[in-house]
Amino acid sequence: MQRIAILTHALGQSPPDPDLIYSAMQDAIHQPYRKELIPGLTEILQSVKPKTHPGLLGICLSGAGPTILALATRNFEHIAREIIGKFEEAEVRCRWSLLGLAEEGSTVER
């Protein structure tokens, strides 16, 4: 959350700047403490980067975990398989989902 202004700006750029988005998604407050609780997370955050995984924009621990959020524009399967492989090395079973954009924004229904 401490870099939300940078992330909001970066996500609004066209084309997106992977280096800026990746940097904005790096949490220096909560993630360092939580990554010790999730086997394999440290290796994933150190090795899965836009320069090594074309299409990747950023990656982070989502909320308190254990969900990993990876924003990408392409190569979804390759990026997901890399992350899953790192978790398997740490004996963590996981699955991945490709989510679509919520193009309507927030809505209130009564």
Side-chain angles (χ1 to χ4, degrees), residues 54-71:
L56 180 71
L57 298 176
I59 188 169
C60 66
L61 179 63
S62 180
T67 301
I68 303 298
L69 172 66
L71 296 180

Side-chain angles (χ1 to χ4, degrees), residues 39-54:
L41 182 61
T42 300
E43 292 77 14
I44 291 167
L45 295 176
Q46 291 175 348
S47 65
V48 181
K49 299 182 177 191
K51 291 194 185 321
T52 58
H53 294 78

Side-chain angles (χ1 to χ4, degrees), residues 21-96:
I21 293 171
Y22 182 84
S23 175
M25 290 180 68
Q26 300 309 296
D27 179 350
I29 296 174
H30 304 289
Q31 200 161 270
Y33 302 103
R34 293 182 179 142
K35 69 182 179 183
E36 301 302 323
L37 302 173
I38 303 171
L41 182 61
T42 300
E43 292 77 14
I44 291 167
L45 295 176
Q46 291 175 348
S47 65
V48 181
K49 299 182 177 191
K51 291 194 185 321
T52 58
H53 294 78
L56 180 71
L57 298 176
I59 188 169
C60 66
L61 179 63
S62 180
T67 301
I68 303 298
L69 172 66
L71 296 180
T73 56
R74 58 190 167 93
N75 295 327
F76 310 114
E77 180 86 24
H78 173 75
I79 294 165
R81 293 288 159 217
E82 180 74 19
I83 293 168
I84 289 170
K86 297 283 184 196
F87 274 132
E88 287 175 350
E89 290 173 14
E91 299 182 1
V92 175
R93 291 182 50 210
C94 61
R95 61 182 174 83
W96 76 281

